[in-house]
Amino acid sequence: MNHLLEWSASQVDEALTRLNVLSLEGTRPYDYLFYGNDVPRRNDGRLSSPTLQRYRHIEAGGWWCSGINLLTGDDDLWGCFKPDQPRTQAARTPEKASKPIKYEHPPKTSTGVFALRVPLHLWQAIADRAGIPLSHKAIDESKSDFGFWQWILDHPEIPLCITEGAKKAGTLLSAGYAAIALPGINGGYRVERDQWGQRRGKSRLIPQLQRLSQGDRPMYLVFDRDRKPSTVKAVNTALQRTGYLLNQAGCPVHIVTWNPDQGKGVDDFIAQHGVEAFTKAFNGSLPLNTWKAQILNALTVTPSIELQQRYLGAIAIPEDQPLVAIHSPKGTGKTELLNHLVQQAKARQQKVLVVGHRVQLIEALCQRFELPYVSQLAQPRHPEVGMGLCIDSLHPDSQAQFDPDYWQNALVILDEVEQVLWHGLNSDTCRSQRVAVLRSLKRLMENTLGNQGQVIVADADLSDMALEYLSTLAGVETEPFLIANPWKPTAEESWQVHHYSDSTPKRFVKDLETYIENGGKPFVCLSAQKLTSRWGTRSLEAYFSQKFPDHRILRIDAESVADPKHPAYHCTRHLNHCLKDYDLVLASPAIETGVSIDEVGVFTSVWAIAQGVQSANTVRQAMARVRDAVPRYLWAAPYGFNKVGNGSTSISGLLTSGKRLTQLNVRLLQQADFEALDELDVGFQAESLRCWAKMGVRLNAAMANYRNTIVAALDAEGHQICPVTPGKRRSRSRKAPKSASDTLHDRIAEVQQQNYQQECAAIVNAPELTEQEYRASKKRLVKRSSDRRALRKYELHRRYKVPVTEALVQQDDHGAYQKLRLHYFLTVGRSFLRDRDRRIVQQLIEQGQGQVFQPDFNRSQLGATIGTMHLLGIHKFLETPERELSNNDPDLQKLAEIALKYRQDIKTTTGIGLAKNSTPMVILRRFLDKIGYGLTCLRCQRRNKKVLRIYRLDVPQDDRLLIFRNWLAIDQRIPGHCDRGVAMSEPQIPTRKVEDDGCIQLSLDLD
């Protein structure tokens, strides 16, 4: 029987197939399909002639599948018929070809779900996988499914897979997973419409899914993995709608995905790679919100030119296309194509503007394009040919004196556009001029896309998000001219990525050391450069210099490339020539994008440590700087720690929390009698805020699943993932000998600490600068190490108002300033908090000409955080540091009651996320950490057969009381200026009378 062979090829158990599938031919298919009361019929009951004509093809035979009606428990009339000779569906447009209709469903009836009958041996396998014993009482031999689906309904703890197509449900059931199938991607919900076809009311789950969703059942959506952009968009939309409705019904929803190259449908995936591969995908499935954030990486624009080649080469692009997008993998010649287009523009005397996010990247591009970088121009406001600049300089008060109207019909190039836009929307370096930068960017897009100019964007990770944002800024609806090159490397051209899954990079670095000892020449990508990082460029440079004194080692980071005394100074201008002279190169994110190391044989491998600081995409960018297909070695942290906003992976969640925090901050400013409140416009550029939220949740989702996100993306690029066997865990016994990795870690820590102490001493001993000397040195682009240390010493003294010591340098490196500032305004400086927040807002208003960017406004205010801590009574615990505390303490229990009741609002105002079951001591510890305090366990007591731990505040041993006294002296003279860098010797002005009732009042109910 053909249907048995077909279902067997999809790895469906034969007994299951025989229970649910029938072969039909002749007139028998009519009996199964046409049972609906509304089917057109003649007066004698015979089907109408048009209906018979339309369905004549089913008489050639095919197979019919139906299962159990979940609403009644009986055999279901509804099902599907797959004809051997399908009819075709007429194309909607002349350009498109007609498509065969593979499956026929009963017409004029409500669609259902495929809840297939399950043989007893598969039922047992599903019960075993779910960990639920199968009793004989559950088996009802009077039912055609033996009572299986009633058993599923009785056990809402059993996860349920939802797929599309009966055969795929059979595949999953045969693999031991409870599963149903929808007849199509949109088959899980109904949309009510009126007689004119207009939508009426909200979407709702079909009755069968409503029944299955009772009891908060975990749901796993297992839809097809397609590559066609329009299909991907449709499937993603259906997943979001179905997932949302299931969420609303109380079900936790996960999305199961796999690499589309491994199979389109789940039946293809399991047939080609086995049940174990699906189990891995199932276990690694993403929560709905996390998946929704990750699909923001998708590009669904229809390509204008689609290639499949190793290098792009020269491509003719029509000049009348305002927005051109280049989507092609790393190392496929995007920069060379851009250079070709720039030279064409220069030949027709069209001005060229190149915008990026890193100085090194833009300088390298300008050198390639034969354009000046902004700092090389005497008159940058109106350059004759064009120029390159960072997006930070895209405003009139920068060194570029940027005038967007000058570039009205220019060629504007945004290379690595996703990172450029995110830098403009979220980076600290843009914060003081963010409104001006975004205002200029909008005007630039209006002048180019809305006139005779052209904008060309390029990115290996291009998404719809960037293209939609630029079009929205311009205020024009334009279809991008997309050049898509989905080329993937062959087995010889791809990388072998050796992936370490250890909890720390200790073994990774030990293997790197062994590799160097054996004569390897690695290029090492690192996440940090400061000496405070054990795995940063400076620490590893110091260690490897001691370990391999005869090796030539080059450190490339933001400091070395700008230090004229360092061999890495301006190395990006001649990188390929420079690197040949070194045995080991340690690179920070300073060159993670925009540079290309093309020489073959310079390095024998690439090693990367990703500590969770960079985005997942930039880690892959850094690993691709070396174009040679040498082996890659990767250690990535399981989770990242750079979160945006409250860390939400929901666009609406991130925007809503930001809006509520803004409203709270505005309310606090009203209480503080802020006179310029009427001038404050927090609704600046809604399109920029929306893009910030989309990119933010995408970053939050990647950070929550950092390691897996990086590895999955490398796999999707076509590289070979080679997991390194995890190292054995060493016994915690003190007598156990240390492993080689632990010994190496200790040596690196020793070298790092020694060099760090020397650096701290050098900062303390640096010359003291005057205000004028500081400003002059700060403006210089080229800085020596001695210049940086003098600047740091000046800034530390200005910030803390105490003599700079080595201890102060170390405390500042570990985030002491933010903690001390919160402690100060929570206690002795609280009466000056409103002055401080008013002053900051006034600065934002002046910089933005009355407009502020909502995320920057929220980040600038301390009132909500301090008010929350004050409302919880954190300051009261600080007044009696000798007090003994436990989870039974009445004050702590009251704190916990409030904190847990308003935990979502607390996450919005302070960034502290609390679990529902957090104990009072855990909550107190989280808040104390915000100000640099801790808890010390004094002893354990037994009460009612339970162990009760007794704690006391761990008061930090630092100079905060002296610092607070100096800050208070400034605030008493100039209220709200203690954190502005006012000198201690300024003339005294009349002190304002401080009253407790002048403090900002806060309610945690943000609704």
Short mmCIF file of all heavy atoms in Angstrom, two decimals, residues 779-808:
data_model
loop_
_atom_site.label_atom_id
_atom_site.label_comp_id
_atom_site.label_asym_id
_atom_site.label_seq_id
_atom_site.Cartn_x
_atom_site.Cartn_y
_atom_site.Cartn_z
N LYS A 779 40.77 66.50 24.55
CA LYS A 779 40.41 66.69 23.15
C LYS A 779 41.37 66.00 22.19
O LYS A 779 41.01 65.75 21.04
CB LYS A 779 40.36 68.19 22.83
CG LYS A 779 39.17 68.91 23.45
CD LYS A 779 39.17 70.38 23.06
CE LYS A 779 37.97 71.11 23.65
NZ LYS A 779 37.97 72.55 23.29
N ARG A 780 42.59 65.71 22.66
CA ARG A 780 43.57 65.10 21.77
C ARG A 780 43.18 63.67 21.44
O ARG A 780 42.89 62.87 22.33
CB ARG A 780 44.97 65.13 22.40
CG ARG A 780 45.64 66.50 22.39
CD ARG A 780 47.15 66.35 22.61
NE ARG A 780 47.44 65.83 23.93
CZ ARG A 780 47.66 66.59 25.01
NH1 ARG A 780 47.59 67.91 24.90
NH2 ARG A 780 47.92 66.04 26.17
N LEU A 781 43.19 63.34 20.15
CA LEU A 781 42.85 61.97 19.73
C LEU A 781 43.98 61.00 20.06
O LEU A 781 43.77 59.84 20.38
CB LEU A 781 42.55 61.94 18.24
CG LEU A 781 41.28 62.67 17.79
CD1 LEU A 781 41.14 62.61 16.28
CD2 LEU A 781 40.04 62.06 18.45
N VAL A 782 45.23 61.48 19.92
CA VAL A 782 46.40 60.65 20.17
C VAL A 782 46.83 60.85 21.61
O VAL A 782 47.16 61.96 22.03
CB VAL A 782 47.55 61.00 19.21
CG1 VAL A 782 48.79 60.17 19.53
CG2 VAL A 782 47.11 60.77 17.77
N LYS A 783 46.83 59.77 22.39
CA LYS A 783 47.17 59.86 23.81
C LYS A 783 48.17 58.77 24.16
O LYS A 783 47.98 57.60 23.81
CB LYS A 783 45.93 59.71 24.69
CG LYS A 783 44.89 60.81 24.51
CD LYS A 783 43.71 60.59 25.45
CE LYS A 783 42.64 61.66 25.28
NZ LYS A 783 41.93 61.52 23.99
N ARG A 784 49.22 59.15 24.88
CA ARG A 784 50.17 58.18 25.41
C ARG A 784 49.63 57.61 26.72
O ARG A 784 48.67 58.11 27.29
CB ARG A 784 51.53 58.84 25.64
CG ARG A 784 52.17 59.41 24.38
CD ARG A 784 53.33 60.32 24.73
NE ARG A 784 52.87 61.47 25.52
CZ ARG A 784 53.66 62.42 26.01
NH1 ARG A 784 54.95 62.35 25.79
NH2 ARG A 784 53.17 63.42 26.71
N SER A 785 50.27 56.57 27.19
CA SER A 785 49.83 55.95 28.45
C SER A 785 49.89 56.95 29.60
O SER A 785 49.01 56.98 30.47
CB SER A 785 50.71 54.74 28.77
OG SER A 785 50.56 53.74 27.79
N SER A 786 50.95 57.77 29.61
CA SER A 786 51.09 58.77 30.67
C SER A 786 49.95 59.79 30.61
O SER A 786 49.47 60.27 31.65
CB SER A 786 52.44 59.48 30.56
OG SER A 786 52.59 60.07 29.27
N ASP A 787 49.51 60.14 29.40
CA ASP A 787 48.39 61.08 29.26
C ASP A 787 47.11 60.47 29.83
O ASP A 787 46.35 61.15 30.54
CB ASP A 787 48.17 61.44 27.80
CG ASP A 787 49.37 62.14 27.17
OD1 ASP A 787 50.07 62.86 27.91
OD2 ASP A 787 49.60 61.96 25.97
N ARG A 788 46.86 59.20 29.53
CA ARG A 788 45.64 58.54 30.01
C ARG A 788 45.64 58.45 31.54
O ARG A 788 44.60 58.61 32.18
CB ARG A 788 45.53 57.14 29.41
CG ARG A 788 45.33 57.13 27.90
CD ARG A 788 45.20 55.72 27.36
NE ARG A 788 45.09 55.72 25.91
CZ ARG A 788 43.96 55.91 25.24
NH1 ARG A 788 42.84 56.11 25.92
NH2 ARG A 788 43.93 55.89 23.92
N ARG A 789 46.78 58.18 32.12
CA ARG A 789 46.84 58.07 33.58
C ARG A 789 46.60 59.42 34.25
O ARG A 789 45.91 59.51 35.27
CB ARG A 789 48.20 57.51 33.99
CG ARG A 789 48.38 56.04 33.62
CD ARG A 789 49.81 55.60 33.74
NE ARG A 789 49.96 54.18 33.37
CZ ARG A 789 51.07 53.68 32.84
NH1 ARG A 789 52.13 54.47 32.61
NH2 ARG A 789 51.13 52.40 32.51
N ALA A 790 47.15 60.48 33.68
CA ALA A 790 46.93 61.81 34.25
C ALA A 790 45.46 62.21 34.14
O ALA A 790 44.89 62.79 35.07
CB ALA A 790 47.81 62.83 33.53
N LEU A 791 44.84 61.88 33.01
CA LEU A 791 43.41 62.16 32.85
C LEU A 791 42.58 61.38 33.88
O LEU A 791 41.66 61.92 34.48
CB LEU A 791 42.97 61.78 31.43
CG LEU A 791 43.39 62.70 30.30
CD1 LEU A 791 43.07 62.07 28.95
CD2 LEU A 791 42.69 64.05 30.41
N ARG A 792 42.94 60.13 34.06
CA ARG A 792 42.19 59.29 35.01
C ARG A 792 42.33 59.85 36.43
O ARG A 792 41.35 59.89 37.18
CB ARG A 792 42.73 57.87 34.94
CG ARG A 792 42.06 56.90 35.92
CD ARG A 792 40.74 56.38 35.37
NE ARG A 792 39.99 55.62 36.36
CZ ARG A 792 40.27 54.36 36.70
NH1 ARG A 792 41.26 53.71 36.10
NH2 ARG A 792 39.53 53.75 37.61
N LYS A 793 43.51 60.27 36.80
CA LYS A 793 43.72 60.81 38.15
C LYS A 793 42.89 62.07 38.35
O LYS A 793 42.26 62.24 39.40
CB LYS A 793 45.21 61.12 38.36
CG LYS A 793 45.52 61.65 39.75
CD LYS A 793 47.01 61.87 39.95
CE LYS A 793 47.32 62.36 41.35
NZ LYS A 793 48.78 62.56 41.56
N TYR A 794 42.87 62.93 37.36
CA TYR A 794 42.09 64.16 37.45
C TYR A 794 40.60 63.84 37.63
O TYR A 794 39.91 64.42 38.47
CB TYR A 794 42.30 65.01 36.20
CG TYR A 794 41.53 66.32 36.21
CD1 TYR A 794 42.12 67.48 36.72
CD2 TYR A 794 40.23 66.38 35.73
CE1 TYR A 794 41.41 68.67 36.73
CE2 TYR A 794 39.52 67.56 35.74
CZ TYR A 794 40.12 68.71 36.24
OH TYR A 794 39.41 69.89 36.27
N GLU A 795 40.10 62.90 36.82
CA GLU A 795 38.67 62.55 36.86
C GLU A 795 38.30 61.88 38.19
O GLU A 795 37.20 62.11 38.71
CB GLU A 795 38.34 61.63 35.69
CG GLU A 795 38.38 62.36 34.34
CD GLU A 795 38.38 61.42 33.15
OE1 GLU A 795 38.55 60.19 33.38
OE2 GLU A 795 38.25 61.88 32.01
N LEU A 796 39.19 61.06 38.73
CA LEU A 796 38.91 60.43 40.02
C LEU A 796 38.81 61.47 41.14
O LEU A 796 37.92 61.40 41.99
CB LEU A 796 40.00 59.41 40.35
CG LEU A 796 39.98 58.10 39.55
CD1 LEU A 796 41.24 57.29 39.82
CD2 LEU A 796 38.74 57.28 39.89
N HIS A 797 39.73 62.41 41.14
CA HIS A 797 39.69 63.45 42.17
C HIS A 797 38.45 64.32 42.03
O HIS A 797 37.79 64.68 43.01
CB HIS A 797 40.95 64.32 42.10
CG HIS A 797 40.97 65.41 43.12
ND1 HIS A 797 41.10 65.16 44.47
CD2 HIS A 797 40.83 66.76 43.00
CE1 HIS A 797 41.06 66.31 45.14
NE2 HIS A 797 40.89 67.29 44.26
N ARG A 798 38.10 64.64 40.80
CA ARG A 798 36.92 65.47 40.56
C ARG A 798 35.64 64.72 40.95
O ARG A 798 34.68 65.31 41.43
CB ARG A 798 36.85 65.88 39.09
CG ARG A 798 35.73 66.87 38.77
CD ARG A 798 35.75 67.33 37.34
NE ARG A 798 35.47 66.22 36.42
CZ ARG A 798 35.28 66.39 35.11
NH1 ARG A 798 35.36 67.60 34.58
NH2 ARG A 798 35.03 65.36 34.33
N ARG A 799 35.65 63.42 40.76
CA ARG A 799 34.46 62.62 41.04
C ARG A 799 34.27 62.39 42.54
O ARG A 799 33.16 62.56 43.07
CB ARG A 799 34.58 61.29 40.31
CG ARG A 799 33.47 60.30 40.60
CD ARG A 799 33.67 59.02 39.79
NE ARG A 799 33.41 59.23 38.36
CZ ARG A 799 33.54 58.29 37.44
NH1 ARG A 799 33.94 57.08 37.80
NH2 ARG A 799 33.29 58.55 36.19
N TYR A 800 35.33 62.01 43.25
CA TYR A 800 35.19 61.61 44.66
C TYR A 800 35.55 62.71 45.65
O TYR A 800 35.24 62.61 46.83
CB TYR A 800 36.08 60.38 44.94
CG TYR A 800 35.61 59.14 44.21
CD1 TYR A 800 36.24 58.73 43.03
CD2 TYR A 800 34.55 58.39 44.68
CE1 TYR A 800 35.82 57.59 42.36
CE2 TYR A 800 34.13 57.24 44.01
CZ TYR A 800 34.76 56.85 42.85
OH TYR A 800 34.35 55.73 42.18
N LYS A 801 36.27 63.73 45.21
CA LYS A 801 36.63 64.87 46.06
C LYS A 801 37.53 64.47 47.23
O LYS A 801 37.50 65.07 48.30
CB LYS A 801 35.38 65.56 46.63
CG LYS A 801 34.27 65.85 45.61
CD LYS A 801 34.71 66.80 44.54
CE LYS A 801 33.56 67.23 43.64
NZ LYS A 801 32.92 66.15 42.89
N VAL A 802 38.36 63.44 47.03
CA VAL A 802 39.34 63.01 48.03
C VAL A 802 40.65 62.73 47.30
O VAL A 802 40.65 62.54 46.07
CB VAL A 802 38.88 61.74 48.79
CG1 VAL A 802 37.64 62.01 49.61
CG2 VAL A 802 38.63 60.59 47.82
N PRO A 803 41.77 62.71 48.02
CA PRO A 803 43.05 62.38 47.38
C PRO A 803 42.98 61.01 46.71
O PRO A 803 42.36 60.08 47.23
CB PRO A 803 44.05 62.39 48.54
CG PRO A 803 43.42 63.28 49.56
CD PRO A 803 41.95 63.07 49.45
N VAL A 804 43.62 60.88 45.55
CA VAL A 804 43.58 59.64 44.78
C VAL A 804 44.60 58.66 45.36
O VAL A 804 45.79 58.96 45.44
CB VAL A 804 43.87 59.90 43.30
CG1 VAL A 804 43.90 58.59 42.52
CG2 VAL A 804 42.84 60.85 42.71
N THR A 805 44.13 57.49 45.75
CA THR A 805 44.98 56.42 46.27
C THR A 805 44.79 55.17 45.42
O THR A 805 43.86 55.09 44.61
CB THR A 805 44.62 56.09 47.73
OG1 THR A 805 43.26 55.59 47.76
CG2 THR A 805 44.71 57.34 48.62
N GLU A 806 45.68 54.20 45.62
CA GLU A 806 45.55 52.96 44.87
C GLU A 806 44.23 52.26 45.21
O GLU A 806 43.57 51.68 44.33
CB GLU A 806 46.73 52.03 45.19
CG GLU A 806 48.07 52.55 44.66
CD GLU A 806 49.20 51.57 44.92
OE1 GLU A 806 48.94 50.35 44.93
OE2 GLU A 806 50.35 52.03 45.13
N ALA A 807 43.84 52.32 46.47
CA ALA A 807 42.56 51.70 46.87
C ALA A 807 41.39 52.37 46.17
O ALA A 807 40.44 51.69 45.74
CB ALA A 807 42.40 51.80 48.39
N LEU A 808 41.44 53.69 46.00
CA LEU A 808 40.35 54.40 45.34
C LEU A 808 40.27 54.02 43.86
O LEU A 808 39.17 53.84 43.31
CB LEU A 808 40.55 55.91 45.48
CG LEU A 808 39.42 56.78 44.89
CD1 LEU A 808 38.14 56.58 45.67
CD2 LEU A 808 39.82 58.26 44.89
#
